[in-house]
């Protein structure tokens, strides 16, 4: 079957490890919210540590230790940059790269994401004394982001929305939101680019809210937000079977239903062309570099493959949040079925053409990664309940997506849904330090949460910064050469992670 074939593919990725740098971590049972005691870094090549205020050797002030892939050639870089591992091909300034191989060709590349907002960020302007918008807050924090080692920042949804947080979008070309206006958005993106940080847009296209009612009083007439007819749709753009919004499309939904707003027919020619044009505009005119796909289980993976083929993002990640397996004793030890769902979706997201969108490139390369919800669920039980045995699967590997397909796994502790003021599935806060010790030292691409970096105090932020620097020094990226789990029981977790062996010039 397709599922079993995908599973064999995930498990079968092997590397022959040469001599490598290594570091060891030991996570004890109990610690304060921000501490990570007995976190030890040992490398064969170096023993010195970089203090929180120091810049990495050769790195200009206020720039990240390593620049986000493709940003240096993508927009207007400063005259001096830090070292870039990935070695992108030379391109003229402003020229978009071709479709990147994803997972990354160079499996040691460094990338650390930051979710640049929480659930309450949209209310900042009305609550702050100076009326500063959230985009301005992000812009002012650019220097801190780069010093922490962030390479990519995930922005909140940037289009007009019925809900202030942005997840019920309507006029997609209208960029005036509670987070700020279009000029402020572009200014923040420019500032982050100058700090060597890529900007990831939150793409919400499973559903869309209408601007007008039809003759029967049903909200299913869409306005794009421009003087012309771009993204001006009718009920024909709503999937067959969406009776609440009188969908008149000839085709049914390709994913799960979404009750709060009309489900969009992604097979429709006009829908495909309008969305691809809008996303190219976000890339070329607004300045975004990549995409975070909201509610991906609401539509088929070929939709992402087709739109990524049209827009060539430097980074792409899906939100595919499904239920984990629970029994009478709580979370089941074996969560292979859960990470298999993520594998299957990513495996089917290859760059592709459609009947209406042309693409003549490689259609065997996956175009996106996925937030590793499997690792999050297992990790928060492991550190919160002294059940570190959960961090080793039956094959002796990490138990989440990062254990099967690490270069497609974006690991995280919390986001605006699971944590923040919503708290639908929060990581135990007193163990945040231990959680970051795990995801920042293991393969995959870690994503930091805004609250943890900027709102939970200097101690946790400094710990995160030191761990990111340890990750860089030991060259642990999307894939590392080896993860050896020495101990995983009720008392502690101890593992050796071997990073890339090759040294960069001057490193």
């Amino acid at each position: 079957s397709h599922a079993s074939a995908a599973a064999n593919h995930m498990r079968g990725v092997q590397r022959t490890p040469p001599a490598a740098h290594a570091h060891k971590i030991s996570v004890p049972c109990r610690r304060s919210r921000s501490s990570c005691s007995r976190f030890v870094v040992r490398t064969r090549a170096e023993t010195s540590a970089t203090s929180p205020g120091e810049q990495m050797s050769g790195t200009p002030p206020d720039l990240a230790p390593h620049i986000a892939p493709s940003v240096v050639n993508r927009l207007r870089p400063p005259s001096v940059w830090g070292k870039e591992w990935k070695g992108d091909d030379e391109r003229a300034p402003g020229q978009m790269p071709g479709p990147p191989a994803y997972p990354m060709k160079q499996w040691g590349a460094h990338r650390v994401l930051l979710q640049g907002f929480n659930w309450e960020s949209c209310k900042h302007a009305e609550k702050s004394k100076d009326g500063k918008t959230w985009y301005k807050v992000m812009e002012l924090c650019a220097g801190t982001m780069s010093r922490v080692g962030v390479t990519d920042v995930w922005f909140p949804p940037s289009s007009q929305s019925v809900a202030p947080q942005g997840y019920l979008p309507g006029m997609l070309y209208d960029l005036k939101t509670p987070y700020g206006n279009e000029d402020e958005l572009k200014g923040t993106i420019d500032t982050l680019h100058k700090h060597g940080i890529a900007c990831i847009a939150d793409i919400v296209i499973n559903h869309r809210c209408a601007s007008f009612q039809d003759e029967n009083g049903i909200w299913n007439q869409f306005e794009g937000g421009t003087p012309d007819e771009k993204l001006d749709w009718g009920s024909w753009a709503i999937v067959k079977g969406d009776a609440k919004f009188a969908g008149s499309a000839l085709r049914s939904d390709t994913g799960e239903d979404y009750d709060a707003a009309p489900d969009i027919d992604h097979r429709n020619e006009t829908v495909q062309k309008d969305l691809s044009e809008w996303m190219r505009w976000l890339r070329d005119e607004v300045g975004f570099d990549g995409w975070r796909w909201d509610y991906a289980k609401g539509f088929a993976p070929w939709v992402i493959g087709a739109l990524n083929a049209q827009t060539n993002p430097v980074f792409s990640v899906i939100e595919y949040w499904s239920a984990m397996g629970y029994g009478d004793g709580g979370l089941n030890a074996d969560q292979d079925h859960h990470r298999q769902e993520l594998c299957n979706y990513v495996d089917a997201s290859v760059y592709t053409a459609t009947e209406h969108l042309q693409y003549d490139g490689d259609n065997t390369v996956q175009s996106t990664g996925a937030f590793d919800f499997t690792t999050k669920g297992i990790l928060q039980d492991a550190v919160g309940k002294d059940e570190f045995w959960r961090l080793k699967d039956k094959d002796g590997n990490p138990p989440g997506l990062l254990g099967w397909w690490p270069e497609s796994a974006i690991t995280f502790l919390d986001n605006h849904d699971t944590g923040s003021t919503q708290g639908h599935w929060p990581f135990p806060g007193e163990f945040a330090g231990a959680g970051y010790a795990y995801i920042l030292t293991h393969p995959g691409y870690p994503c930091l949460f805004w609250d943890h970096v900027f709102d939970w105090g200097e101690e946790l932020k400094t710990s995160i910064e030191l761990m990111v620097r340890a990750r860089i020094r030991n060259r642990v990226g999307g894939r590392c050469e080896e993860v050896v789990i020495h101990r995983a029981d009720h008392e502690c977790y101890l593992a050796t992670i071997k990073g890339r062996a090759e040294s960069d010039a001057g490193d």
Side-chain angles (χ1 to χ4, degrees):
S1 70
H2 176 76
S4 60
N8 290 334
H9 169 67
M10 309 316 161
R11 297 189 180 99
V13 178
Q14 298 290 333
R15 301 279 181 182
T16 303
H21 296 75
H23 61 269
K24 294 185 178 182
I25 66 169
S26 176
V27 180
C29 295
R30 293 292 178 191
R31 65 201 58 79
S32 65
R33 166 180 285 196
S34 58
S35 68
C36 180
S37 58
R38 288 178 28 218
F39 174 76
V40 180
V41 179
R42 298 175 184 167
T43 71
R44 299 172 187 173
E46 58 181 322
T47 58
S48 62
T50 305
S51 67
E54 282 185 285
Q55 294 293 326
M56 298 291 287
S57 176
T59 305
D62 295 322
L63 292 181
H66 290 275
I67 300 164
S70 298
V71 169
V72 63
N73 291 318
R74 167 72 170 87
L75 281 148
R76 299 172 292 283
S79 57
V80 182
W81 290 90
K83 296 185 297 296
E84 166 62 86
W85 303 8
K86 193 166 185 280
D88 289 325
D89 295 333
E90 290 294 324
R91 286 184 289 273
Q95 179 182 351
M96 284 301 297
Y102 195 98
M104 292 181 180
K105 289 180 180 177
Q106 295 198 8
W107 48 272
H110 168 63
R111 177 168 246 134
V112 172
L113 285 78
L114 168 70
Q115 180 173 359
F117 63 100
N118 60 34
W119 192 249
E120 301 300 317
S121 299
C122 60
K123 303 174 184 177
H124 186 270
E126 64 183 55
K127 289 184 176 181
S128 64
K129 294 180 180 179
D130 57 4
K132 191 180 278 93
T133 67
W134 189 253
Y135 290 147
K136 286 294 184 182
V137 172
M138 293 176 67
E139 184 175 12
L140 290 172
C141 292
T144 300
M145 295 176 192
S146 65
R147 284 190 293 274
V148 169
V150 170
T151 62
D152 303 69
V153 172
W154 159 22
F155 276 63
S158 57
S159 296
Q160 176 271 336
S161 168
V162 172
Q165 290 79 11
Y167 290 99
L168 292 175
M171 295 186 288
L172 298 184
Y173 279 101
D174 183 353
L175 301 186
K176 185 178 181 181
T177 72
Y179 301 106
N181 59 37
E182 182 173 340
D183 289 339
E184 291 172 323
L185 172 61
K186 290 179 177 179
T188 300
I189 290 174
D190 282 346
T191 297
L192 289 175
H193 283 151
K194 291 172 183 176
H195 283 80
I197 298 174
C199 300
I200 310 302
D202 202 327
I203 302 298
V204 187
I205 59 166
N206 169 72
H207 50 273
R208 187 181 172 200
C209 290
S211 298
F212 307 104
Q213 296 169 294
D214 67 6
E215 62 275 11
N216 298 314
I218 299 174
W219 292 90
N220 57 18
Q221 303 299 303
F222 302 91
E223 163 62 43
T226 65
D228 57 21
E229 295 182 354
K230 293 177 182 178
L231 288 165
D232 293 354
W233 301 342
S235 63
W236 50 264
I238 304 174
V239 296
K240 177 183 178 182
D242 193 340
K244 181 177 180 180
F245 297 100
S248 60
L250 300 177
R251 292 158 291 263
S252 300
D253 203 346
T254 61
E256 294 188 12
D257 292 339
Y258 187 84
D259 187 62
D263 272 308
I264 299 304
D265 176 19
H266 293 99
R267 294 192 184 100
N268 182 278
E269 177 179 5
T270 301
V271 169
Q272 289 184 13
K273 291 182 176 179
D274 279 2
L275 288 178
S276 64
E277 182 180 358
W278 169 65
M279 291 180 69
R280 286 195 297 271
W281 175 77
L282 287 177
R283 180 196 71 187
D284 297 338
E285 299 298 326
V286 181
F288 282 114
D289 305 289
W291 320 123
R292 178 264 184 186
W293 301 87
D294 180 67
Y295 198 68
K297 66 180 181 178
F299 49 92
W302 63 260
V303 176
I304 291 176
L307 291 174
N308 275 344
Q310 296 295 308
T311 57
N312 302 334
V314 301
F315 188 74
S316 173
V317 56
I318 62 167
E319 177 212 32
Y320 191 100
W321 185 4
S322 59
M324 299 185 74
Y326 288 85
D328 293 338
L331 185 69
N332 293 337
D334 188 342
Q335 294 294 332
D336 284 359
H337 74 287
H338 191 265
R339 56 177 166 175
Q340 187 65 61
E341 286 186 86
L342 297 174
C343 287
N344 291 346
Y345 198 103
V346 171
D347 196 44
S349 72
V350 293
Y351 293 101
T352 187
T354 70
E355 183 181 352
H356 311 298
L357 299 176
Q358 295 182 351
Y359 174 69
D360 57 4
D362 187 352
N363 62 357
T364 65
V365 178
Q366 287 74 27
S367 72
T368 193
F371 280 113
D372 192 350
F373 280 91
T374 314
T375 290
K376 172 185 165 51
I378 293 171
L379 181 61
Q380 63 191 33
D381 261 33
V383 301
K385 300 178 180 179
D386 297 340
E387 296 176 349
F388 299 111
W389 53 266
R390 292 186 178 276
L391 299 178
K392 185 176 182 179
D393 70 12
K394 60 181 178 294
D395 298 314
N397 298 316
L401 178 61
L402 73 85
W404 277 359
W405 205 355
E407 62 268 59
S408 291
I410 289 76
T411 53
F412 70 106
L413 303 189
D414 265 328
N415 61 31
H416 60 290
D417 287 324
T418 65
S420 191
T421 54
Q422 293 203 95
H424 291 315
W425 197 35
F427 196 92
E430 63 270 31
F431 300 107
Y436 279 116
Y438 184 86
I439 69 172
L440 288 172
T441 57
H442 282 59
Y445 297 110
C447 182
L448 314 176
F449 186 40
W450 180 276
D451 294 15
H452 298 158
V453 176
F454 291 101
D455 296 340
W456 282 26
E458 286 298 317
E459 187 178 355
L460 179 59
K461 182 169 68 174
T462 299
S463 296
I464 290 171
E465 181 177 348
L466 289 172
M467 287 185 277
V468 171
R469 293 183 182 281
R471 180 181 182 88
I472 293 170
R473 285 198 303 270
N474 291 278
R475 299 175 181 86
V476 178
R479 176 172 289 280
C480 66
E481 290 176 8
E482 188 177 30
V483 176
V484 179
I485 301 174
H486 304 288
R487 183 176 174 185
D489 52 35
H490 283 283
E491 294 184 355
C492 89
Y493 174 83
L494 176 66
T496 300
I497 294 88
K498 295 182 180 180
R500 259 174 51 160
E502 297 83 1
S503 295
D504 294 307
D507 198 11

